[in-house]
Amino acid sequence: MDVRTIIDKRNLPSRHVTEGPARAPHRSYLYAMGLTREQIHQPLVGVASCWNEAAPCNISLMRQAQAVKKGVASANGTPREFCTITVTDGIAMGHDGMKASLASREVIADSVELTIRGHSYDALVGLAGCDKSLPGMMMAMLRLNVPSIFIYGGSILPGSFRGQPVTVQDMFEAVGKHSVGLMSDDDLDELEQVACPSAGACGAQFTANTMATVSEAIGLALPYSAGAPAPYEIRDRFCMAAGEQIMDLVARNIRPRDIVTLKALENAATVVAASGGSTNAALHLPAMAHEAGIKFDLFDVAEIFKRTPYIADLKPGGRYVAKDMFEAGGIPLLMKTLLEHGFLHGDCLTVTGRTIAENLASVKWNPHQDVVRPANDPITATGGVVGLQGNLAPEGAIVKVAGLKNQKFTGPARCFDGEEACFEAVTHRAYNEGDVLVIRYEGPKGGPGMREMLSTTAALYGQGAGDKVALITDGRFSGATRGFCIGHVGPEAAVGGPIGLIRDGDIITIDAIEGTLDVALSDEELAARRAEWKPRPSPVGSGAIWKFAQAVGPARDGAVTHPGGAAETACYADI
């Protein structure tokens, strides 16, 4: 299809920089970069990537962006490439750098928005690889509402340690083994050199692959594109196809908010639960909904989790990694069985221009694999992630139960104001079996930045205590976390939430079957403690983290920093 015969540039944002005599100065800048007259008067497509040299998650994105640009050009569009930041959680983990992680999601969304707005681009193809860059890029798409396609950079391949497949999860847990003498210095050194053997994001169903699964299920990514590992050459074909397809979306004026509806968000939450995905999805899905002006908070996500079967046997709770699921049939295989058994809305539009049901019509079940189970024969009948609520978490909390045998836990609180204090105690095994470790003042405002606690949880697991203690926090957990670990406890300690009022020895009960999180204190006792409570001064007084802390809202609503689509007075795509 020749889109030039269909697309009327007079209705597109780029007319403000390319059309008419008054825009001659603007066009002179475009000529300076080697564009032809024809290219200037075609639709301008932003090709945004989170490429950097910070981590393997992002290192292949610039190469993939070139394939996208070829696809755009072949369909008579003019691609304009730009980059934004990422903060890579695996490297930011366990130290003050993690305060930058969640804030980076907002910076990514903001910077993509500002680049598109400032240069009046007509469409967006966004490539992302790290945990926060995936939702950040999709949030920008929903905020701008220009025709958009999301591309995941792909997962890393598993490493091999003495004949056994390993991921970075094994690396973090090895630190715990090393701390109690179960792994030597030489073994640790050998493992760290083989755990991450290629480009790509963490290989199991941690946050990056969870949000990649979401990108297909929610309809913003082409089918199969999110499953192919980063080193696979087929990624270039997906990128080329996305570049071509974006021009079809421009011609048909299919926009992200046409695709990401309440039903589509429910589909996204469904695949998270079905795949035993990261608890961070319960933070990012509400934030994406917020951009589109849709109410879809932690409790709405948890309701979907409660009724969804857990069917994909993926690490950290299961046996396989993202590469295995792609080779077994990909995310469409997972979605097909969910659709057939009534767990997905098949009538949701996608970036193919077709519905979920139409996209999946030719997908056949693969009986020669055991990565994904049929939805009527699940690993467990309820989802791999569960929402909790109670007098310790009036605004909710979240726990991953995939692979967790015991889903009830009662024990005395052991309170720590910050992760470092808890990690120090864990390193020296200064805890008792049956304790409920409480890490607080790590929420969105209190951290600030709602840090992930993988270093602490992995150390516990490496010490063999993963099922012998529980851990609750107003911060977050990595998608690689396993064990009885509850995050997103709200309200957070920094605003006087109950988690900031409990004391050592208070009895905490966690029930992931009933969905409750309670402390054995009366309302009167909690009220008396709240009257005595005083806010703690923020650990930061300026800079980007300070700005994030001033604007950020509660985890229940996605830890968002602006009023969102519901308060919008004009949509960029309609300028």
Side-chain angles (χ1 to χ4, degrees):
M1 176 178 62
D2 186 345
V3 294
R4 287 173 298 184
T5 63
I6 298 174
I7 298 173
D8 183 351
K9 185 132 178 186
R10 291 174 299 177
N11 295 322
L12 296 182
S14 66
R15 71 186 186 278
H16 295 295
V17 296
T18 65
E19 305 306 303
R23 299 312 183 213
H26 305 63
R27 291 192 293 272
S28 71
Y29 282 114
L30 301 177
Y31 280 119
M33 292 182 285
L35 269 63
T36 65
R37 179 180 286 105
E38 180 184 40
Q39 288 172 322
I40 289 171
H41 293 292
Q42 291 178 158
L44 304 184
V45 178
V47 179
S49 84
C50 299
W51 176 86
N52 59 44
E53 293 182 331
C57 338
N58 314 302
I59 202 70
S60 71
L61 293 178
M62 187 175 287
R63 177 186 62 77
Q64 294 188 47
Q66 308 319 304
V68 173
K69 290 164 67 178
K70 289 178 183 177
V72 172
S74 73
N76 304 310
T78 302
R80 307 313 297 151
E81 183 181 1
F82 63 97
C83 292
T84 184
I85 70 157
T86 48
V87 172
T88 298
D89 288 2
I91 290 177
M93 194 73 67
H95 56 88
D96 207 55
M98 182 50 74
K99 293 182 187 297
S101 173
L102 185 56
S104 76
R105 185 189 72 180
E106 308 308 300
V107 172
I108 291 163
D110 291 351
S111 62
V112 172
E113 176 198 357
L114 293 174
T115 301
I116 297 288
R117 280 186 182 275
H119 304 99
S120 297
Y121 293 157
D122 301 314
L124 170 61
V125 180
L127 300 92
C130 279
D131 295 1
K132 306 307 167 298
S133 62
L134 279 79
M137 190 66 73
M138 288 186 276
M139 287 163 65
M141 293 172 176
L142 288 159
R143 187 183 302 177
L144 293 159
N145 204 31
V146 290
S148 301
I149 295 178
F150 177 81
I151 298 174
Y152 179 41
S155 68
I156 200 169
L157 296 176
S160 179
F161 179 65
R162 299 175 184 173
Q164 297 299 312
V166 290
T167 71
V168 74
Q169 173 191 343
D170 298 282
M171 200 67 253
F172 276 96
E173 292 177 5
V175 174
K177 293 178 181 177
H178 181 267
S179 72
V180 293
L182 296 178
M183 178 171 276
S184 68
D185 290 348
D186 289 344
D187 287 351
L188 189 66
D189 179 69
E190 182 182 342
L191 178 59
E192 72 184 56
Q193 294 184 53
V194 299
C196 299
S198 73
C202 298
Q205 200 69 348
F206 309 153
T207 305
N209 280 320
T210 296
M211 295 309 296
T213 305
V214 161
S215 71
E216 285 195 33
I218 211 166
L220 289 175
L222 295 175
Y224 296 100
S225 66
Y232 285 18
E233 291 299 322
I234 196 174
R235 292 225 54 83
D236 284 1
R237 292 167 58 188
F238 286 124
C239 292
M240 180 83 177
E244 294 171 344
Q245 182 61 20
I246 194 67
M247 297 308 299
D248 184 57
L249 297 185
V250 173
R252 298 170 62 181
N253 196 28
I254 295 176
R255 302 180 179 185
R257 295 185 199 175
D258 300 325
I259 292 168
V260 179
T261 61
L262 180 59
K263 282 184 176 182
L265 287 158
E266 291 176 348
N267 283 348
T270 297
V271 298
V272 173
S275 64
S278 170
T279 56
N280 284 313
L283 193 70
H284 301 320
L285 289 176
M288 291 169 61
H290 180 75
E291 299 289 353
I294 301 170
K295 180 195 171 295
F296 191 67
D297 66 14
L298 172 64
F299 293 118
D300 298 311
V301 175
E303 190 60 33
I304 303 298
F305 289 169
K306 189 186 300 182
R307 64 175 188 245
T308 303
Y310 167 44
I311 60 173
D313 195 6
L314 298 172
K315 291 177 180 289
R319 295 176 293 165
Y320 295 106
V321 295
K323 174 189 80 75
D324 301 318
M325 187 159 81
F326 177 68
E327 291 171 353
I331 295 163
L333 183 74
L334 175 75
M335 292 173 62
K336 177 75 169 189
T337 187
L338 290 168
L339 179 67
E340 287 180 338
H341 295 285
F343 294 102
L344 284 186
H345 303 290
D347 57 345
C348 293
L349 185 65
T350 75
V351 291
T352 65
R354 299 184 296 272
T355 65
I356 291 284
E358 289 169 336
N359 287 346
L360 298 176
S362 61
V363 175
K364 292 182 172 55
W365 181 252
N366 176 5
H368 307 294
Q369 57 82 38
D370 61 352
V371 181
V372 179
R373 299 271 289 271
N376 63 342
D377 182 26
I379 300 168
T380 58
T382 56
V385 183
V386 171
L388 308 173
Q389 190 176 23
N391 72 342
L392 189 47
E395 289 185 358
I398 203 86
V399 59
K400 180 185 282 192
V401 297
L404 196 61
K405 294 178 182 177
N406 179 25
Q407 298 191 15
K408 295 183 179 182
F409 198 101
T410 297
R414 181 81 185 284
C415 300
F416 301 91
D417 292 348
E419 184 192 12
E420 284 83 358
C422 186
F423 183 72
E424 183 72 12
V426 169
T427 299
H428 294 98
R429 303 200 75 171
Y431 60 86
N432 299 313
E433 289 187 13
D435 280 352
V436 179
L437 308 181
V438 180
I439 304 177
R440 57 197 182 187
Y441 294 98
E442 290 286 8
K445 282 187 179 294
M450 204 179 183
R451 290 193 293 176
E452 291 183 349
M453 308 292 163
L454 178 60
S455 292
T456 301
T457 60
L460 284 167
Y461 219 93
Q463 292 175 357
D467 59 353
K468 296 180 175 64
V469 298
L471 194 155
I472 71 170
T473 181
D474 53 7
R476 301 180 294 124
F477 290 115
S478 164
T481 290
R482 53 178 174 165
F484 218 149
C485 300
I486 291 84
H488 303 200
V489 175
E492 61 175 294
V495 299
I499 192 172
L501 308 177
I502 56 179
R503 300 169 182 166
D504 286 351
D506 289 342
I507 301 302
I508 294 173
T509 298
I510 308 156
D511 189 334
I513 297 172
E514 296 298 324
T516 57
L517 176 58
D518 292 293
V519 58
L521 296 173
S522 66
D523 292 345
E524 292 75 17
E525 175 62 21
L526 283 170
R529 294 186 186 185
R530 186 170 290 108
E532 297 174 0
W533 176 84
K534 290 181 175 57
R536 294 184 354 147
S538 174
V540 296
S542 65
I545 308 299
W546 178 87
K547 286 196 290 185
F548 176 81
Q550 306 315 301
V552 71
R556 170 181 176 168
D557 298 319
V560 295
T561 58
H562 68 108
E568 193 176 78
T569 57
C571 175
Y572 163 76
D574 295 324
I575 63 171

